[in-house]
Amino acid sequence: MCGFVGFIHGTQPFQYKNFMKQMLETIVHRGPDSDGIYSDEKVTLGFRRLSILDLSTAASQPFSTENEDIVLVFNGEIYNYRELREELISYGHTFQTTSDTEVLLKGYIEYGTKVLQKIRGMFAFCIWDKKQNLQFIARDHFGIKPLYYTQHTTDNTILFGSEIKSFLPHPKFKKELNEKALRPFLTFQYPATDETFFKGVYKLTPGSFMLIQNGHIQIKSYWTHEFSPTTNSLDTHVQHIKKVLEDSVEAHSVSDVKVGSFLSGGVDSSYIAKLLKPDTTYSVGFQGYESMFDETSLAKALSEELQFENKQKHITADEAFEAIPKIQWHMDEPDSNLSSLPLYFLAELASKDVTVVLSGEGADELFGGYEWYKPSEKMEQYKKIPLPLRHILSAIAKSLPKNRYTNFLDNGAKSIEERFIGHAFVWQEDDALALLNEKYHKGPSVWDIVKTYYDKVQAEDDTTKMQYLDLHVWLPSQILLKADKMSMAHSLELRVPFLDKEVFKVASHIPTQYKVSTADTKIALRQAALDELPEAWAKRKKLGFPVPMRHWLREEKYYQMVRNTFEKAYIHEFFDQQLLLNYLDAHYEKKADHGRYVWTVYVFCVWYEQYFPEKCGWSHDW
């Protein structure tokens, strides 16, 4: 796991290498072991290395052919690099290292851009082909590794890299807030569009590659998440799951450094840990909330049964609030998913012992693990009422105070496309627009964002539609981005064996009835796990990473901390300040549960102060 940044020189020359050193310094956490810079008259590439495979300096990057006509910077891992290496040797290629980096470079020489059809792994990379005057930039199938790009510069410089913060020291980069990002953020709780919170800075779409030649940018897709269920029996699907996961964990465990595993009390991380058999597993909880927000006791019990060492940390409220600015700095964009907090501390804990960890992200999206994927017996019964009557009841419900009953009546008149936007739904859009100043109303609506994906799966059942949306929005823009940024904040490589293209092929063939029912989720996956785990773990419902934030915000110390932020002068720029304070006070006084509303705005404010301090009354030396 590493980090890189590069740029294609614009029309105004300057001291490229000097500025590249500053740019690399902003991402030193991604690669503390070494750095490297390549520069010619057209391109400058910088790299920070976290040594995982072939620890020798021969595998350092930027990595090039002997005559430097092709140069590579690469973040990630190619899990089938050994097989590809043998194939390339059979075609006459020779190798100077045992690294996957050299395999990727030689793979490009042999296959061109079609190397993307060959590789299996998590990656973001840039290949500079001097003979063709071509930049070939690509991102992995699921978006496990981040990749940003922009031409929002004063001299047409094109920048690209692993983190947005690395662009900031470049003297030609125009740092501006994207005014269209705040509206959808309040509802989604994370940046859900391809354009980031920085104007003109974009995320390369997962499963896509970019070609830049003579100033022309072309983006193409090489991978799509297509579901093609078969009529195989449940047992057949279970056997396929067992085999492909064993293979995936074995591939993901290849490393020249020590590997550990994250472990909660759920089936996903437990299954991965059992297959990996690490020396140590890692778990976190919250001090004072062990009975409400904690799976550490379950993780410890499973580790003891499977004979692993389990290391734990219980996070205090003071530690959490102290870490919030660091977390938002590492995230690059505001992200109010509360699970970022425990994940930050979990990565810190593991990084004291190991350089690589395996984790269970992706199982829910592939195998149907979220509760909202399940059909509701009550809703199915309610939908037997004629739709016109349900519309009338929905209209009545909207005029009443919001509660679970009025929400049920309202949702009962909606299609899945109208009522499901993904895991998060923080601010109701009407409430968000009432809070935001008119200048920030022009961002895309929730429907603008999700319609693109729903239009591609109109013929699928509701569960498949939700999975498809989550795979394209929630997973890459939140779950995986958070996993990458929080682990790399501590120079820790996080690998996700469920998010492997071979695992997806198996998951894509499972029909909905073997994924969810009214009573259960991940039916086929849980059945496969029964051969590896005690029944209680294989069947345990998902808890996730619950955080006691709504309780903390009702404590005087943290309430005042947030209020002090909401009272600052710059808040007027974005929000109706008095309305925002009213939300905070109502929550503190237990008149309403506005914890998520308050937290989401607070996170944006903390992020804004980190990245736009000059707008808040102080400066930052990039």
Side-chain angles (χ1 to χ4, degrees), residues 76-366:
E77 305 289 346
I78 306 302
Y79 297 121
N80 62 336
Y81 78 99
R82 289 171 172 169
E83 298 92 324
L84 282 175
R85 191 174 193 272
E86 293 304 313
E87 183 176 307
L88 290 165
I89 288 173
S90 72
Y91 294 150
H93 292 274
T94 59
F95 289 83
Q96 306 304 312
T97 74
T98 58
S99 69
D100 56 347
T101 302
E102 187 173 9
V103 170
L104 180 57
L105 183 68
K106 298 291 175 67
Y108 169 74
I109 292 171
E110 180 67 32
Y111 305 112
T113 60
K114 291 182 180 179
V115 69
L116 292 169
Q117 305 300 328
K118 292 278 189 178
I119 57 179
R120 173 185 182 184
M122 57 178 187
F123 53 83
F125 65 77
C126 170
I127 292 176
W128 166 228
D129 189 331
K130 291 176 69 173
K131 288 184 178 179
Q132 298 190 63
N133 191 29
L134 175 70
Q135 291 274 3
F136 170 35
I137 300 172
R139 191 177 180 197
D140 66 64
H141 310 75
F142 299 96
I144 302 168
K145 305 316 303 167
L147 205 160
Y148 302 95
Y149 66 95
T150 186
Q151 202 170 1
H152 194 60
T153 54
T154 58
D155 70 341
N156 293 318
T157 292
I158 300 174
L159 298 124
F160 47 87
S162 304
E163 297 191 10
I164 301 171
K165 64 176 66 66
S166 67
F167 300 166
L168 300 180
H170 195 290
K172 307 302 180 182
F173 175 62
K174 295 192 290 185
K175 188 188 74 168
E176 297 180 70
L177 182 72
N178 173 18
E179 296 173 354
K180 297 182 292 184
L182 187 52
R183 176 185 172 182
F185 166 74
L186 291 182
T187 294
F188 281 96
Q189 79 174 339
Y190 61 91
T193 61
D194 288 340
E195 187 174 14
T196 70
F197 263 81
F198 292 87
K199 185 176 181 180
V201 178
Y202 296 86
K203 296 174 284 190
L204 184 62
T205 306
S208 296
F209 66 94
M210 174 189 295
L211 300 175
I212 307 175
Q213 195 168 35
N214 301 319
H216 176 67
I217 298 176
Q218 186 178 19
I219 298 176
K220 297 182 179 181
S221 173
Y222 68 88
W223 168 272
T224 56
H225 305 305
E226 294 183 357
F227 292 93
S228 52
T230 68
T231 57
N232 289 336
S233 67
L234 174 59
D235 184 63
T236 299
H237 289 295
V238 167
Q239 296 308 314
H240 289 165
I241 292 170
K242 289 167 60 177
K243 184 176 186 304
V244 77
L245 281 180
E246 288 172 3
D247 174 64
S248 183
V249 170
E250 181 179 1
H252 282 68
S253 63
V254 174
S255 172
D256 291 330
V257 294
K258 193 174 179 181
V259 181
S261 183
F262 288 164
L263 182 62
S264 67
V267 62
D268 306 335
S269 63
S270 299
Y271 198 169
I272 296 300
K274 176 58 170 64
L275 293 175
L276 177 64
K277 299 179 179 64
D279 293 332
T280 311
T281 60
Y282 302 90
S283 313
V284 295
F286 291 95
Q287 191 174 107
Y289 293 89
E290 288 83 357
S291 62
M292 297 171 59
F293 300 95
D294 207 331
E295 288 187 304
T296 56
S297 59
L298 299 173
K300 182 178 181 180
L302 180 63
S303 294
E304 289 176 350
E305 184 161 343
L306 301 180
Q307 298 183 328
F308 308 146
E309 180 184 9
N310 179 245
K311 293 189 177 182
Q312 303 183 355
K313 175 179 176 58
H314 284 83
I315 306 158
T316 67
D318 281 348
E319 288 176 317
F321 274 86
E322 183 181 347
I324 292 168
K326 300 174 190 174
I327 289 171
Q328 295 309 312
W329 166 250
H330 281 288
M331 287 300 301
D332 274 336
E333 299 182 80
D335 189 311
S336 74
N337 187 329
L338 286 161
S339 63
S340 296
L341 278 168
L343 187 54
Y344 177 84
F345 288 98
L346 183 60
E348 181 181 49
L349 176 66
S351 68
K352 296 174 182 178
D353 301 326
V354 300
T355 309
V356 177
V357 290
L358 269 56
S359 190
E361 280 85 355
D364 294 311
E365 289 79 6
L366 266 61

Side-chain angles (χ1 to χ4, degrees), residues 373-382 408 419 517-518:
Y373 289 167
K374 291 166 52 177
S376 164
E377 285 186 287
K378 291 181 180 179
M379 185 60 75
E380 293 302 311
Q381 290 296 318
Y382 181 62
F408 178 85
R419 62 184 170 85
S517 67
T518 57

Side-chain angles (χ1 to χ4, degrees), residues 490-542:
H490 303 288
S491 305
L492 180 74
E493 173 166 294
L494 186 145
R495 299 179 180 179
V496 282
F498 282 112
L499 291 175
D500 175 270
K501 68 177 186 178
E502 300 302 323
V503 177
F504 180 81
K505 287 178 185 177
V506 169
S508 70
H509 294 324
I510 301 173
T512 297
Q513 74 257 29
Y514 297 149
K515 289 184 282 191
V516 296
S517 67
T518 57
D520 205 358
T521 59
K522 287 185 287 204
I523 295 169
L525 180 65
R526 293 182 191 280
Q527 190 68 34
L530 277 172
D531 282 353
E532 299 290 344
L533 299 172
E535 184 175 0
W537 271 267
K539 294 186 176 181
R540 181 169 286 112
K541 288 186 177 182
K542 183 178 183 63

Side-chain angles (χ1 to χ4, degrees), residues 368-525:
Y370 293 122
E371 285 293 313
W372 51 88
Y373 289 167
K374 291 166 52 177
S376 164
E377 285 186 287
K378 291 181 180 179
M379 185 60 75
E380 293 302 311
Q381 290 296 318
Y382 181 62
K383 285 186 175 181
K384 292 179 181 179
I385 296 174
L387 183 59
L389 180 54
R390 281 186 276 134
H391 277 303
I392 294 172
L393 293 171
S394 173
I396 294 171
K398 288 178 180 177
S399 67
L400 299 172
K402 293 175 183 176
N403 55 50
R404 61 175 179 166
Y405 303 107
T406 56
N407 287 339
F408 178 85
L409 293 174
D410 185 27
N411 287 332
K414 295 178 179 178
S415 66
I416 195 67
E417 290 87 344
E418 293 173 302
R419 62 184 170 85
F420 182 77
I421 69 165
H423 171 69
F425 201 120
V426 182
W427 280 79
Q428 295 288 333
E429 283 198 281
D430 290 345
D431 289 348
L433 291 173
L435 180 75
L436 285 169
N437 290 337
E438 190 171 350
K439 180 180 180 180
Y440 298 94
H441 284 199
K442 58 187 176 183
S445 69
V446 166
W447 179 242
D448 291 334
I449 293 170
V450 302
K451 185 178 185 300
T452 301
Y453 304 104
Y454 277 132
D455 284 349
K456 296 177 181 179
V457 286
Q458 291 181 6
E460 303 291 349
D461 61 72
D462 284 356
T463 295
T464 303
K465 288 178 179 179
M466 288 187 280
Q467 283 183 275
Y468 188 83
L469 181 67
D470 279 345
L471 278 165
H472 287 84
V473 183
W474 166 248
L475 185 68
S477 296
Q478 211 299 301
I479 293 292
L480 295 176
L481 200 62
K482 172 191 65 181
D484 172 84
K485 299 296 180 65
M486 294 300 90
S487 58
M488 289 313 312
H490 303 288
S491 305
L492 180 74
E493 173 166 294
L494 186 145
R495 299 179 180 179
V496 282
F498 282 112
L499 291 175
D500 175 270
K501 68 177 186 178
E502 300 302 323
V503 177
F504 180 81
K505 287 178 185 177
V506 169
S508 70
H509 294 324
I510 301 173
T512 297
Q513 74 257 29
Y514 297 149
K515 289 184 282 191
V516 296
S517 67
T518 57
D520 205 358
T521 59
K522 287 185 287 204
I523 295 169
L525 180 65

Side-chain angles (χ1 to χ4, degrees), residues 9-37:
H9 305 161
T11 57
Q12 301 175 25
F14 61 94
Q15 295 298 316
Y16 305 118
K17 284 191 176 181
N18 291 341
F19 285 107
M20 176 55 77
K21 290 178 181 177
Q22 296 176 41
M23 296 166 78
L24 287 174
E25 193 62 29
T26 67
I27 57 169
V28 65
H29 49 276
R30 297 192 75 91
D33 294 336
S34 65
D35 64 2
I37 298 174

